Amino acid sequence: SGLSVIGGLAYWHYCPSRSAKGNWGGRLAQGWHVFSNVEDQVTTKAASVSTRFAGSLSSLFAHLRVPLYTNAFYLWVSAAGTALAGFVFWTLVTRFYSTDDVGLGAAALSALSLLAMFSHLGLGLGLIRFLPDSDKEGPRLANAVFTSSALVAVGLSIAFLAGLPLWAPSLGFLREQPLYAVAFIAFVVAATLSFVQTYTFIAILKAKYILVQAVVVLLGRLVLLALMAAFFGAFMNMSFLLAGSAS
């Protein structure tokens, strides 16, 4: 090949004994042989790397056909997408609104998320354990968890709003109008049901729907942010709550 010819000429030209008369053909043949071996080694290693890469891809696709790994992949993508969208969301928030609004919205969102985590009482995790083995009783079990979690969320939200003057006076805006209070309660319930729904999808090995839910929610929160900025201005704290209820 061209590499062998060039290599042979180079070997002959720079050989320490190139000044010697005669036998130049032998030196050229020897150089040709050396560089032919090098070329063969490079070709062999390239083929080996290509084979290993193809084998790795084949193994990856084989793993993705296993439900366990497929669900893990969807969960990973959902978590990564949620984190990235959250970063974008808060970056936009800090550009559109004042520092006070951002602080109040973040505090209200933190409270909402905490109430939502308490509201399902760990029953969502229980679904992962018992729902796969419940057979025909599965729908009843899931409905019981959804209903009880929603009722607890309503109770905790009302208690939280009633005690705002004691533990969070700065969030008093949530009680300024009945609409704000009702919206806060609704968002807590929605966030709680979102948690339970995520656990349900995991239990039935349908994590792809978690990804679909995440995409819809993340796009919705960005659209909501723009709408709240355009039409409600300083009352954007409620958009934080809706974004949190969908996370």
Side-chain angles (χ1 to χ4, degrees):
S1 67
L3 178 61
S4 299
V5 172
I6 295 173
L9 292 174
Y11 182 86
W12 173 78
H13 180 73
Y14 289 104
C15 178
S17 59
R18 65 182 182 278
S19 59
K21 302 295 183 181
N23 199 29
W24 63 270
R27 293 201 302 272
L28 179 60
Q30 183 179 3
W32 186 311
H33 176 71
V34 170
F35 280 89
S36 293
N37 290 338
V38 172
E39 183 183 23
D40 291 341
Q41 292 177 8
V42 171
T43 302
T44 301
K45 287 186 177 294
S48 177
V49 170
S50 177
T51 301
R52 287 199 300 269
F53 180 72
S56 298
L57 285 180
S58 177
S59 177
L60 174 62
F61 289 127
H63 278 84
L64 289 179
R65 287 192 289 268
V66 178
L68 176 64
Y69 295 111
T70 302
N71 281 272
F73 172 77
Y74 282 125
L75 290 173
W76 180 85
V77 173
S78 299
T82 300
L84 178 61
F87 174 79
V88 174
F89 175 80
W90 287 106
T91 301
L92 293 176
V93 164
T94 56
R95 292 185 177 275
F96 287 162
Y97 301 102
S98 67
T99 303
D100 291 339
D101 282 337
V102 173
L104 289 174
L109 176 55
S110 297
L112 183 152
S113 301
L114 182 63
L115 292 173
M117 285 190 291
F118 283 141
S119 295
H120 67 78
L121 303 175
L123 296 177
L125 293 172
L127 286 176
I128 298 177
R129 168 62 181 86
F130 295 105
L131 188 59
D133 300 327
S134 58
D135 297 326
K136 294 182 179 180
E137 295 298 319
R140 291 184 59 187
L141 176 61
N143 287 335
V145 172
F146 275 100
T147 302
S148 59
S149 299
L151 292 176
V152 173
V154 171
L156 287 181
S157 301
I158 293 175
F160 176 80
L161 292 174
L164 275 181
L166 295 177
W167 46 65
S170 61
L171 297 180
F173 71 91
L174 294 174
R175 295 175 31 161
E176 288 179 355
Q177 297 186 27
L179 176 61
Y180 292 174
V182 172
F184 181 81
I185 295 172
F187 295 158
V188 173
V189 172
T192 302
L193 296 180
S194 178
F195 278 123
V196 176
Q197 181 172 266
T198 297
Y199 291 129
T200 303
F201 287 144
I202 294 174
I204 62 176
L205 298 180
K206 297 294 184 181
K208 63 182 179 180
Y209 295 121
I210 298 176
L211 178 59
V212 173
Q213 172 184 304
V215 171
V216 172
V217 166
L218 297 177
L219 292 177
R221 76 163 56 170
L222 295 177
V223 172
L224 177 65
L225 175 63
L227 292 177
M228 294 296 288
F231 297 106
F232 293 95
F235 301 109
M236 60 79 60
N237 297 309
M238 304 311 295
S239 70
F240 285 158
L241 299 181
L242 183 55
S245 68
S247 62

mmCIF file of all heavy atoms in Angstrom, residues 180-227:
data_model
loop_
_atom_site.group_PDB
_atom_site.id
_atom_site.type_symbol
_atom_site.label_atom_id
_atom_site.label_comp_id
_atom_site.label_asym_id
_atom_site.label_seq_id
_atom_site.Cartn_x
_atom_site.Cartn_y
_atom_site.Cartn_z
ATOM 1 N N TYR A 180 -56.294 32.835 46.483
ATOM 2 C CA TYR A 180 -54.929 32.396 46.752
ATOM 3 C C TYR A 180 -54.924 31.167 47.655
ATOM 4 O O TYR A 180 -54.163 30.212 47.433
ATOM 5 C CB TYR A 180 -54.122 33.519 47.398
ATOM 6 C CG TYR A 180 -53.841 34.697 46.494
ATOM 7 C CD1 TYR A 180 -53.221 35.842 46.995
ATOM 8 C CD2 TYR A 180 -54.189 34.669 45.144
ATOM 9 C CE1 TYR A 180 -52.960 36.927 46.174
ATOM 10 C CE2 TYR A 180 -53.933 35.735 44.321
ATOM 11 C CZ TYR A 180 -53.323 36.868 44.838
ATOM 12 O OH TYR A 180 -53.065 37.939 44.020
ATOM 13 N N ALA A 181 -55.754 31.196 48.685
ATOM 14 C CA ALA A 181 -55.812 30.068 49.615
ATOM 15 C C ALA A 181 -56.303 28.801 48.908
ATOM 16 O O ALA A 181 -55.731 27.718 49.073
ATOM 17 C CB ALA A 181 -56.716 30.406 50.794
ATOM 18 N N VAL A 182 -57.359 28.949 48.119
ATOM 19 C CA VAL A 182 -57.891 27.794 47.389
ATOM 20 C C VAL A 182 -56.852 27.272 46.397
ATOM 21 O O VAL A 182 -56.671 26.049 46.249
ATOM 22 C CB VAL A 182 -59.196 28.176 46.669
ATOM 23 C CG1 VAL A 182 -59.645 27.041 45.744
ATOM 24 C CG2 VAL A 182 -60.285 28.494 47.677
ATOM 25 N N ALA A 183 -56.168 28.187 45.722
ATOM 26 C CA ALA A 183 -55.140 27.770 44.758
ATOM 27 C C ALA A 183 -54.017 27.023 45.463
ATOM 28 O O ALA A 183 -53.536 25.995 44.966
ATOM 29 C CB ALA A 183 -54.591 28.985 44.025
ATOM 30 N N PHE A 184 -53.595 27.509 46.628
ATOM 31 C CA PHE A 184 -52.527 26.847 47.367
ATOM 32 C C PHE A 184 -52.943 25.425 47.742
ATOM 33 O O PHE A 184 -52.167 24.470 47.580
ATOM 34 C CB PHE A 184 -52.181 27.645 48.624
ATOM 35 C CG PHE A 184 -51.079 27.042 49.439
ATOM 36 C CD1 PHE A 184 -49.753 27.232 49.087
ATOM 37 C CD2 PHE A 184 -51.362 26.275 50.559
ATOM 38 C CE1 PHE A 184 -48.722 26.667 49.835
ATOM 39 C CE2 PHE A 184 -50.346 25.709 51.308
ATOM 40 C CZ PHE A 184 -49.024 25.899 50.949
ATOM 41 N N ILE A 185 -54.156 25.264 48.249
ATOM 42 C CA ILE A 185 -54.639 23.934 48.624
ATOM 43 C C ILE A 185 -54.691 23.022 47.401
ATOM 44 O O ILE A 185 -54.276 21.852 47.451
ATOM 45 C CB ILE A 185 -56.031 24.033 49.283
ATOM 46 C CG1 ILE A 185 -55.928 24.799 50.598
ATOM 47 C CG2 ILE A 185 -56.622 22.652 49.514
ATOM 48 C CD1 ILE A 185 -57.282 25.121 51.226
ATOM 49 N N ALA A 186 -55.194 23.564 46.297
ATOM 50 C CA ALA A 186 -55.279 22.770 45.066
ATOM 51 C C ALA A 186 -53.903 22.342 44.577
ATOM 52 O O ALA A 186 -53.711 21.205 44.125
ATOM 53 C CB ALA A 186 -56.006 23.561 43.985
ATOM 54 N N PHE A 187 -52.925 23.250 44.697
ATOM 55 C CA PHE A 187 -51.583 22.919 44.240
ATOM 56 C C PHE A 187 -50.939 21.853 45.115
ATOM 57 O O PHE A 187 -50.210 20.986 44.630
ATOM 58 C CB PHE A 187 -50.709 24.176 44.213
ATOM 59 C CG PHE A 187 -51.177 25.208 43.216
ATOM 60 C CD1 PHE A 187 -50.817 26.539 43.362
ATOM 61 C CD2 PHE A 187 -51.967 24.843 42.139
ATOM 62 C CE1 PHE A 187 -51.247 27.487 42.447
ATOM 63 C CE2 PHE A 187 -52.400 25.786 41.216
ATOM 64 C CZ PHE A 187 -52.029 27.119 41.365
ATOM 65 N N VAL A 188 -51.184 21.914 46.412
ATOM 66 C CA VAL A 188 -50.650 20.886 47.309
ATOM 67 C C VAL A 188 -51.244 19.523 46.963
ATOM 68 O O VAL A 188 -50.542 18.507 46.914
ATOM 69 C CB VAL A 188 -50.916 21.239 48.786
ATOM 70 C CG1 VAL A 188 -50.512 20.075 49.692
ATOM 71 C CG2 VAL A 188 -50.153 22.495 49.183
ATOM 72 N N VAL A 189 -52.545 19.497 46.723
ATOM 73 C CA VAL A 189 -53.198 18.236 46.338
ATOM 74 C C VAL A 189 -52.613 17.722 45.021
ATOM 75 O O VAL A 189 -52.312 16.528 44.882
ATOM 76 C CB VAL A 189 -54.725 18.434 46.212
ATOM 77 C CG1 VAL A 189 -55.377 17.182 45.624
ATOM 78 C CG2 VAL A 189 -55.333 18.757 47.570
ATOM 79 N N ALA A 190 -52.457 18.621 44.049
ATOM 80 C CA ALA A 190 -51.905 18.206 42.755
ATOM 81 C C ALA A 190 -50.488 17.669 42.902
ATOM 82 O O ALA A 190 -50.124 16.664 42.272
ATOM 83 C CB ALA A 190 -51.924 19.392 41.787
ATOM 84 N N ALA A 191 -49.669 18.327 43.723
ATOM 85 C CA ALA A 191 -48.296 17.862 43.923
ATOM 86 C C ALA A 191 -48.285 16.496 44.596
ATOM 87 O O ALA A 191 -47.481 15.618 44.252
ATOM 88 C CB ALA A 191 -47.523 18.876 44.761
ATOM 89 N N THR A 192 -49.183 16.308 45.575
ATOM 90 C CA THR A 192 -49.260 15.021 46.263
ATOM 91 C C THR A 192 -49.651 13.912 45.300
ATOM 92 O O THR A 192 -49.037 12.834 45.278
ATOM 93 C CB THR A 192 -50.292 15.097 47.404
ATOM 94 O OG1 THR A 192 -49.915 16.137 48.306
ATOM 95 C CG2 THR A 192 -50.375 13.776 48.146
ATOM 96 N N LEU A 193 -50.667 14.162 44.493
ATOM 97 C CA LEU A 193 -51.103 13.154 43.528
ATOM 98 C C LEU A 193 -50.026 12.891 42.477
ATOM 99 O O LEU A 193 -49.911 11.768 41.966
ATOM 100 C CB LEU A 193 -52.401 13.606 42.852
ATOM 101 C CG LEU A 193 -53.611 13.735 43.782
ATOM 102 C CD1 LEU A 193 -54.841 14.189 42.992
ATOM 103 C CD2 LEU A 193 -53.888 12.429 44.507
ATOM 104 N N SER A 194 -49.237 13.910 42.161
ATOM 105 C CA SER A 194 -48.137 13.718 41.227
ATOM 106 C C SER A 194 -47.103 12.757 41.805
ATOM 107 O O SER A 194 -46.592 11.868 41.101
ATOM 108 C CB SER A 194 -47.485 15.061 40.903
ATOM 109 O OG SER A 194 -46.385 14.892 40.034
ATOM 110 N N PHE A 195 -46.796 12.910 43.097
ATOM 111 C CA PHE A 195 -45.879 11.981 43.764
ATOM 112 C C PHE A 195 -46.424 10.555 43.704
ATOM 113 O O PHE A 195 -45.712 9.612 43.337
ATOM 114 C CB PHE A 195 -45.669 12.388 45.227
ATOM 115 C CG PHE A 195 -44.655 13.472 45.428
ATOM 116 C CD1 PHE A 195 -44.987 14.647 46.077
ATOM 117 C CD2 PHE A 195 -43.349 13.309 44.989
ATOM 118 C CE1 PHE A 195 -44.053 15.652 46.272
ATOM 119 C CE2 PHE A 195 -42.400 14.307 45.178
ATOM 120 C CZ PHE A 195 -42.756 15.485 45.826
ATOM 121 N N VAL A 196 -47.675 10.406 44.077
ATOM 122 C CA VAL A 196 -48.280 9.072 44.114
ATOM 123 C C VAL A 196 -48.336 8.470 42.708
ATOM 124 O O VAL A 196 -48.095 7.267 42.521
ATOM 125 C CB VAL A 196 -49.693 9.142 44.734
ATOM 126 C CG1 VAL A 196 -50.363 7.770 44.685
ATOM 127 C CG2 VAL A 196 -49.621 9.634 46.173
ATOM 128 N N GLN A 197 -48.652 9.288 41.738
ATOM 129 C CA GLN A 197 -48.709 8.800 40.361
ATOM 130 C C GLN A 197 -47.346 8.308 39.899
ATOM 131 O O GLN A 197 -47.236 7.287 39.208
ATOM 132 C CB GLN A 197 -49.206 9.921 39.444
ATOM 133 C CG GLN A 197 -49.330 9.512 37.990
ATOM 134 C CD GLN A 197 -49.997 10.581 37.151
ATOM 135 O OE1 GLN A 197 -51.196 10.552 36.939
ATOM 136 N NE2 GLN A 197 -49.202 11.541 36.686
ATOM 137 N N THR A 198 -46.299 9.016 40.268
ATOM 138 C CA THR A 198 -44.942 8.592 39.909
ATOM 139 C C THR A 198 -44.634 7.229 40.509
ATOM 140 O O THR A 198 -44.105 6.333 39.834
ATOM 141 C CB THR A 198 -43.918 9.629 40.401
ATOM 142 O OG1 THR A 198 -44.146 10.872 39.750
ATOM 143 C CG2 THR A 198 -42.500 9.168 40.093
ATOM 144 N N TYR A 199 -44.962 7.043 41.792
ATOM 145 C CA TYR A 199 -44.739 5.748 42.433
ATOM 146 C C TYR A 199 -45.563 4.651 41.766
ATOM 147 O O TYR A 199 -45.115 3.500 41.643
ATOM 148 C CB TYR A 199 -45.086 5.827 43.920
ATOM 149 C CG TYR A 199 -44.140 6.670 44.725
ATOM 150 C CD1 TYR A 199 -44.601 7.676 45.571
ATOM 151 C CD2 TYR A 199 -42.765 6.474 44.654
ATOM 152 C CE1 TYR A 199 -43.732 8.454 46.321
ATOM 153 C CE2 TYR A 199 -41.891 7.245 45.393
ATOM 154 C CZ TYR A 199 -42.378 8.236 46.224
ATOM 155 O OH TYR A 199 -41.513 9.002 46.960
ATOM 156 N N THR A 200 -46.765 4.982 41.333
ATOM 157 C CA THR A 200 -47.619 3.996 40.672
ATOM 158 C C THR A 200 -47.005 3.537 39.355
ATOM 159 O O THR A 200 -46.974 2.338 39.050
ATOM 160 C CB THR A 200 -49.024 4.581 40.416
ATOM 161 O OG1 THR A 200 -49.592 5.023 41.651
ATOM 162 C CG2 THR A 200 -49.932 3.540 39.791
ATOM 163 N N PHE A 201 -46.501 4.478 38.566
ATOM 164 C CA PHE A 201 -45.868 4.117 37.300
ATOM 165 C C PHE A 201 -44.634 3.244 37.536
ATOM 166 O O PHE A 201 -44.357 2.319 36.763
ATOM 167 C CB PHE A 201 -45.480 5.374 36.524
ATOM 168 C CG PHE A 201 -46.643 6.100 35.917
ATOM 169 C CD1 PHE A 201 -46.667 7.489 35.838
ATOM 170 C CD2 PHE A 201 -47.727 5.398 35.419
ATOM 171 C CE1 PHE A 201 -47.737 8.157 35.269
ATOM 172 C CE2 PHE A 201 -48.811 6.059 34.851
ATOM 173 C CZ PHE A 201 -48.817 7.443 34.774
ATOM 174 N N ILE A 202 -43.890 3.545 38.589
ATOM 175 C CA ILE A 202 -42.723 2.723 38.907
ATOM 176 C C ILE A 202 -43.167 1.313 39.284
ATOM 177 O O ILE A 202 -42.555 0.313 38.872
ATOM 178 C CB ILE A 202 -41.910 3.357 40.055
ATOM 179 C CG1 ILE A 202 -41.296 4.688 39.609
ATOM 180 C CG2 ILE A 202 -40.805 2.404 40.521
ATOM 181 C CD1 ILE A 202 -40.600 5.447 40.716
ATOM 182 N N ALA A 203 -44.231 1.211 40.063
ATOM 183 C CA ALA A 203 -44.705 -0.092 40.532
ATOM 184 C C ALA A 203 -45.144 -0.990 39.385
ATOM 185 O O ALA A 203 -44.931 -2.205 39.416
ATOM 186 C CB ALA A 203 -45.853 0.093 41.526
ATOM 187 N N ILE A 204 -45.763 -0.413 38.355
ATOM 188 C CA ILE A 204 -46.260 -1.220 37.240
ATOM 189 C C ILE A 204 -45.266 -1.249 36.076
ATOM 190 O O ILE A 204 -45.601 -1.691 34.970
ATOM 191 C CB ILE A 204 -47.623 -0.697 36.748
ATOM 192 C CG1 ILE A 204 -47.514 0.730 36.213
ATOM 193 C CG2 ILE A 204 -48.661 -0.778 37.851
ATOM 194 C CD1 ILE A 204 -48.809 1.275 35.619
ATOM 195 N N LEU A 205 -44.044 -0.788 36.334
ATOM 196 C CA LEU A 205 -42.971 -0.814 35.337
ATOM 197 C C LEU A 205 -43.348 -0.049 34.067
ATOM 198 O O LEU A 205 -43.131 -0.511 32.944
ATOM 199 C CB LEU A 205 -42.595 -2.257 34.989
ATOM 200 C CG LEU A 205 -42.053 -3.109 36.147
ATOM 201 C CD1 LEU A 205 -41.728 -4.519 35.661
ATOM 202 C CD2 LEU A 205 -40.835 -2.467 36.775
ATOM 203 N N LYS A 206 -43.926 1.120 34.251
ATOM 204 C CA LYS A 206 -44.294 1.996 33.139
ATOM 205 C C LYS A 206 -43.659 3.371 33.327
ATOM 206 O O LYS A 206 -44.322 4.404 33.227
ATOM 207 C CB LYS A 206 -45.819 2.126 33.042
ATOM 208 C CG LYS A 206 -46.549 0.835 32.736
ATOM 209 C CD LYS A 206 -46.213 0.319 31.329
ATOM 210 C CE LYS A 206 -47.025 -0.932 30.995
ATOM 211 N NZ LYS A 206 -46.692 -1.462 29.651
ATOM 212 N N ALA A 207 -42.358 3.366 33.584
ATOM 213 C CA ALA A 207 -41.673 4.625 33.863
ATOM 214 C C ALA A 207 -41.646 5.564 32.663
ATOM 215 O O ALA A 207 -41.376 6.757 32.829
ATOM 216 C CB ALA A 207 -40.245 4.353 34.331
ATOM 217 N N LYS A 208 -41.937 5.048 31.470
ATOM 218 C CA LYS A 208 -41.953 5.936 30.301
ATOM 219 C C LYS A 208 -43.028 7.008 30.455
ATOM 220 O O LYS A 208 -42.871 8.127 29.938
ATOM 221 C CB LYS A 208 -42.183 5.131 29.030
ATOM 222 C CG LYS A 208 -43.508 4.408 28.955
ATOM 223 C CD LYS A 208 -43.616 3.602 27.666
ATOM 224 C CE LYS A 208 -44.931 2.839 27.582
ATOM 225 N NZ LYS A 208 -45.012 2.050 26.323
ATOM 226 N N TYR A 209 -44.089 6.688 31.180
ATOM 227 C CA TYR A 209 -45.133 7.687 31.393
ATOM 228 C C TYR A 209 -44.671 8.778 32.367
ATOM 229 O O TYR A 209 -45.199 9.887 32.353
ATOM 230 C CB TYR A 209 -46.404 7.018 31.903
ATOM 231 C CG TYR A 209 -47.020 6.076 30.901
ATOM 232 C CD1 TYR A 209 -47.206 4.734 31.192
ATOM 233 C CD2 TYR A 209 -47.406 6.532 29.643
ATOM 234 C CE1 TYR A 209 -47.760 3.857 30.264
ATOM 235 C CE2 TYR A 209 -47.958 5.670 28.708
ATOM 236 C CZ TYR A 209 -48.123 4.331 29.017
ATOM 237 O OH TYR A 209 -48.665 3.484 28.101
ATOM 238 N N ILE A 210 -43.715 8.449 33.210
ATOM 239 C CA ILE A 210 -43.130 9.470 34.080
ATOM 240 C C ILE A 210 -42.400 10.502 33.223
ATOM 241 O O ILE A 210 -42.477 11.711 33.477
ATOM 242 C CB ILE A 210 -42.170 8.837 35.094
ATOM 243 C CG1 ILE A 210 -42.924 7.862 35.999
ATOM 244 C CG2 ILE A 210 -41.478 9.906 35.936
ATOM 245 C CD1 ILE A 210 -42.032 7.117 36.973
ATOM 246 N N LEU A 211 -41.706 10.011 32.200
ATOM 247 C CA LEU A 211 -41.012 10.929 31.287
ATOM 248 C C LEU A 211 -42.012 11.798 30.535
ATOM 249 O O LEU A 211 -41.806 13.003 30.383
ATOM 250 C CB LEU A 211 -40.149 10.127 30.316
ATOM 251 C CG LEU A 211 -39.388 10.934 29.264
ATOM 252 C CD1 LEU A 211 -38.455 11.938 29.926
ATOM 253 C CD2 LEU A 211 -38.603 9.994 28.347
ATOM 254 N N VAL A 212 -43.099 11.191 30.056
ATOM 255 C CA VAL A 212 -44.130 11.961 29.361
ATOM 256 C C VAL A 212 -44.717 13.016 30.291
ATOM 257 O O VAL A 212 -44.899 14.188 29.914
ATOM 258 C CB VAL A 212 -45.244 11.024 28.848
ATOM 259 C CG1 VAL A 212 -46.397 11.833 28.271
ATOM 260 C CG2 VAL A 212 -44.694 10.064 27.801
ATOM 261 N N GLN A 213 -45.018 12.619 31.524
ATOM 262 C CA GLN A 213 -45.553 13.557 32.514
ATOM 263 C C GLN A 213 -44.582 14.691 32.771
ATOM 264 O O GLN A 213 -44.979 15.864 32.841
ATOM 265 C CB GLN A 213 -45.842 12.813 33.814
ATOM 266 C CG GLN A 213 -46.231 13.701 34.986
ATOM 267 C CD GLN A 213 -46.400 12.899 36.270
ATOM 268 O OE1 GLN A 213 -47.164 11.958 36.325
ATOM 269 N NE2 GLN A 213 -45.671 13.272 37.303
ATOM 270 N N ALA A 214 -43.302 14.356 32.890
ATOM 271 C CA ALA A 214 -42.295 15.381 33.155
ATOM 272 C C ALA A 214 -42.193 16.379 32.013
ATOM 273 O O ALA A 214 -42.102 17.589 32.239
ATOM 274 C CB ALA A 214 -40.941 14.719 33.406
ATOM 275 N N VAL A 215 -42.224 15.884 30.783
ATOM 276 C CA VAL A 215 -42.129 16.779 29.621
ATOM 277 C C VAL A 215 -43.312 17.744 29.578
ATOM 278 O O VAL A 215 -43.150 18.961 29.383
ATOM 279 C CB VAL A 215 -42.056 15.960 28.321
ATOM 280 C CG1 VAL A 215 -42.185 16.877 27.102
ATOM 281 C CG2 VAL A 215 -40.749 15.183 28.254
ATOM 282 N N VAL A 216 -44.518 17.198 29.770
ATOM 283 C CA VAL A 216 -45.716 18.046 29.740
ATOM 284 C C VAL A 216 -45.661 19.102 30.850
ATOM 285 O O VAL A 216 -45.957 20.289 30.626
ATOM 286 C CB VAL A 216 -46.985 17.187 29.876
ATOM 287 C CG1 VAL A 216 -48.218 18.069 30.031
ATOM 288 C CG2 VAL A 216 -47.130 16.266 28.673
ATOM 289 N N VAL A 217 -45.280 18.666 32.036
ATOM 290 C CA VAL A 217 -45.238 19.576 33.184
ATOM 291 C C VAL A 217 -44.180 20.655 32.993
ATOM 292 O O VAL A 217 -44.420 21.841 33.260
ATOM 293 C CB VAL A 217 -44.973 18.779 34.469
ATOM 294 C CG1 VAL A 217 -44.579 19.710 35.610
ATOM 295 C CG2 VAL A 217 -46.205 17.985 34.850
ATOM 296 N N LEU A 218 -43.007 20.263 32.518
ATOM 297 C CA LEU A 218 -41.920 21.227 32.376
ATOM 298 C C LEU A 218 -42.242 22.266 31.309
ATOM 299 O O LEU A 218 -41.946 23.452 31.483
ATOM 300 C CB LEU A 218 -40.627 20.493 32.037
ATOM 301 C CG LEU A 218 -40.143 19.515 33.123
ATOM 302 C CD1 LEU A 218 -38.895 18.781 32.669
ATOM 303 C CD2 LEU A 218 -39.905 20.241 34.429
ATOM 304 N N LEU A 219 -42.842 21.838 30.215
ATOM 305 C CA LEU A 219 -43.255 22.810 29.206
ATOM 306 C C LEU A 219 -44.363 23.711 29.751
ATOM 307 O O LEU A 219 -44.374 24.924 29.508
ATOM 308 C CB LEU A 219 -43.749 22.079 27.951
ATOM 309 C CG LEU A 219 -42.695 21.322 27.152
ATOM 310 C CD1 LEU A 219 -43.343 20.593 25.976
ATOM 311 C CD2 LEU A 219 -41.603 22.270 26.651
ATOM 312 N N GLY A 220 -45.272 23.114 30.519
ATOM 313 C CA GLY A 220 -46.361 23.894 31.093
ATOM 314 C C GLY A 220 -45.877 24.949 32.064
ATOM 315 O O GLY A 220 -46.387 26.078 32.074
ATOM 316 N N ARG A 221 -44.886 24.608 32.872
ATOM 317 C CA ARG A 221 -44.416 25.602 33.856
ATOM 318 C C ARG A 221 -43.733 26.777 33.181
ATOM 319 O O ARG A 221 -43.857 27.916 33.637
ATOM 320 C CB ARG A 221 -43.496 24.943 34.884
ATOM 321 C CG ARG A 221 -42.113 24.638 34.420
ATOM 322 C CD ARG A 221 -41.146 24.370 35.560
ATOM 323 N NE ARG A 221 -41.613 23.299 36.423
ATOM 324 C CZ ARG A 221 -40.862 22.753 37.379
ATOM 325 N NH1 ARG A 221 -39.620 23.185 37.541
ATOM 326 N NH2 ARG A 221 -41.326 21.787 38.129
ATOM 327 N N LEU A 222 -43.029 26.512 32.072
ATOM 328 C CA LEU A 222 -42.390 27.619 31.366
ATOM 329 C C LEU A 222 -43.428 28.520 30.690
ATOM 330 O O LEU A 222 -43.302 29.746 30.698
ATOM 331 C CB LEU A 222 -41.405 27.066 30.333
ATOM 332 C CG LEU A 222 -40.194 26.310 30.906
ATOM 333 C CD1 LEU A 222 -39.327 25.759 29.785
ATOM 334 C CD2 LEU A 222 -39.366 27.212 31.815
ATOM 335 N N VAL A 223 -44.453 27.892 30.110
ATOM 336 C CA VAL A 223 -45.526 28.689 29.502
ATOM 337 C C VAL A 223 -46.263 29.491 30.569
ATOM 338 O O VAL A 223 -46.585 30.674 30.386
ATOM 339 C CB VAL A 223 -46.508 27.774 28.740
ATOM 340 C CG1 VAL A 223 -47.731 28.559 28.278
ATOM 341 C CG2 VAL A 223 -45.808 27.130 27.554
ATOM 342 N N LEU A 224 -46.519 28.847 31.698
ATOM 343 C CA LEU A 224 -47.213 29.530 32.790
ATOM 344 C C LEU A 224 -46.415 30.717 33.304
ATOM 345 O O LEU A 224 -46.972 31.777 33.603
ATOM 346 C CB LEU A 224 -47.473 28.554 33.933
ATOM 347 C CG LEU A 224 -48.141 29.141 35.181
ATOM 348 C CD1 LEU A 224 -49.546 29.615 34.839
ATOM 349 C CD2 LEU A 224 -48.191 28.125 36.297
ATOM 350 N N LEU A 225 -45.103 30.531 33.393
ATOM 351 C CA LEU A 225 -44.251 31.628 33.848
ATOM 352 C C LEU A 225 -44.403 32.841 32.947
ATOM 353 O O LEU A 225 -44.544 33.976 33.431
ATOM 354 C CB LEU A 225 -42.794 31.165 33.872
ATOM 355 C CG LEU A 225 -41.755 32.233 34.224
ATOM 356 C CD1 LEU A 225 -41.977 32.743 35.634
ATOM 357 C CD2 LEU A 225 -40.350 31.668 34.067
ATOM 358 N N ALA A 226 -44.395 32.612 31.632
ATOM 359 C CA ALA A 226 -44.536 33.731 30.695
ATOM 360 C C ALA A 226 -45.916 34.384 30.814
ATOM 361 O O ALA A 226 -46.043 35.616 30.797
ATOM 362 C CB ALA A 226 -44.306 33.235 29.273
ATOM 363 N N LEU A 227 -46.967 33.566 30.966
ATOM 364 C CA LEU A 227 -48.312 34.116 31.086
ATOM 365 C C LEU A 227 -48.477 34.922 32.367
ATOM 366 O O LEU A 227 -49.079 36.002 32.363
ATOM 367 C CB LEU A 227 -49.343 32.980 31.039
ATOM 368 C CG LEU A 227 -49.483 32.251 29.699
ATOM 369 C CD1 LEU A 227 -50.474 31.110 29.832
ATOM 370 C CD2 LEU A 227 -49.915 33.218 28.604
#
